[in-house]
Amino acid sequence: MLLPVNVTLGVVLAVLLLAAAGVAAAARLGRHREILVAGVRAAVQLAVVAVVIHWVVGSVPLLFGFLALMYAVAVRTAGRRLTANRTWWWAAAPIAAGVLPVVVALLLTGLVPVKGIALIPVTGILIGGALTATVLGGRRALDELTARRGEVEAAMALGLLDRDARLEIARPAASDALLPGLDQTRTVGLVTLPGAFVGMLLGGASPVQAGAVQLFVLVALMAVQAVAVSVVLELVARGRVHRDVRELGP
């Protein structure tokens, strides 16, 4: 066992969480309360999920219901990171566009069985990757359009359509959302050994099997994130996702 579940682990986790919040507060990053809340929420949610998974692994309807819940939470989280107005629900599109085809392909090919013990972690990883890409790509695109409103208007004055003018300005910034996944894939095995690889080894798999699973996860994540960024960029360019005037500031 990599980490024993005991009092010592709880104390170490509490100290690390307080240290993270303390550093953020001392550096005036403005996120120390969010760090504390995120840490406590993670502990509670993982405890609940550990119990729930015991129920859903044996029932296909419950399994897909749990996956739908994961997706809904991801949509809500991503949408609210993008905008405070009602257009937040459009975050459902990039996440679904990235994750659904990959999951369907895995099920149809038999690479992943319709079992909770396999489908939940794989789908969770993909939804998490799509969530991150959607938030980063969408926020960077919206921030860029806000900061460079004059350039967008100038492009439109030259004859470009609204969508095309916004794309020209926002596309380079939105593409930065792909960098974390690219860097992780480029440096895998040299800088870090990601969770899937380590988990497979601890579960008794051979290094070759663990490497194959980790390679699949990384490549699938790049595909999911590329689709998610492309879709959210298109939504921003078409004005489907936008920020209200009060969100833009002066």
Side-chain angles (χ1 to χ4, degrees):
M1 184 181 295
L2 180 62
L3 289 175
V5 181
N6 53 27
V7 175
T8 301
L9 176 61
V11 172
V12 171
L13 288 174
V15 170
L16 289 173
L17 182 59
L18 291 173
V23 170
R28 298 182 181 179
L29 301 179
R31 301 286 185 180
H32 56 284
R33 290 183 180 178
E34 292 184 43
I35 291 173
L36 289 174
V37 172
V40 173
R41 280 189 58 174
V44 174
Q45 289 166 190
L46 286 173
V48 172
V49 167
V51 174
V52 170
I53 286 179
H54 282 291
W55 298 342
V56 305
V57 291
S59 170
V60 173
L62 288 178
L63 168 60
F64 283 103
F66 186 73
L67 295 178
L69 176 62
M70 294 170 63
Y71 170 69
V73 173
V75 169
R76 177 71 175 179
T77 302
R80 285 309 185 186
R81 285 294 185 187
L82 295 177
T83 179
N85 61 41
R86 294 183 179 180
T87 64
W88 67 265
W89 66 269
W90 277 102
I95 295 176
V99 174
L100 189 59
V102 176
V103 173
V104 170
L106 291 174
L107 294 176
L108 292 178
T109 58
L111 289 175
V112 174
V114 186
K115 294 181 180 179
I117 201 65
L119 192 56
I120 288 175
V122 171
T123 306
I125 291 173
L126 298 178
I127 291 177
L131 163 64
T132 301
T134 298
V135 171
L136 292 178
R139 284 180 66 90
R140 290 288 288 118
L142 290 168
D143 290 345
E144 198 75 356
L145 291 177
T146 300
R148 301 171 63 184
R149 275 180 286 182
E151 294 179 50
V152 175
E153 293 172 359
M156 291 166 56
L158 292 175
L160 289 181
L161 298 176
D162 292 5
R163 168 189 173 273
D164 296 335
R166 294 190 185 104
L167 277 177
E168 286 298 317
I169 301 301
R171 184 184 287 116
S175 68
D176 287 348
L178 299 176
L179 292 179
L182 287 172
D183 289 342
Q184 183 182 26
T185 303
R186 286 171 177 163
T187 60
V188 65
L190 299 177
V191 177
T192 61
L193 294 178
F197 184 87
V198 175
M200 290 288 292
L201 289 179
L202 294 176
S206 69
V208 173
Q209 290 175 316
V213 170
Q214 185 61 68
L215 178 61
F216 160 75
V217 168
L218 291 173
V219 173
L221 273 175
M222 284 196 297
V224 167
Q225 291 177 339
V227 171
V229 171
S230 299
V231 173
V232 76
L233 175 61
E234 187 67 29
L235 291 172
V236 170
R238 292 178 179 271
R240 298 293 187 270
V241 177
H242 61 80
R243 291 174 177 164
D244 294 336
V245 174
R246 62 178 178 274
E247 296 179 74
L248 300 180

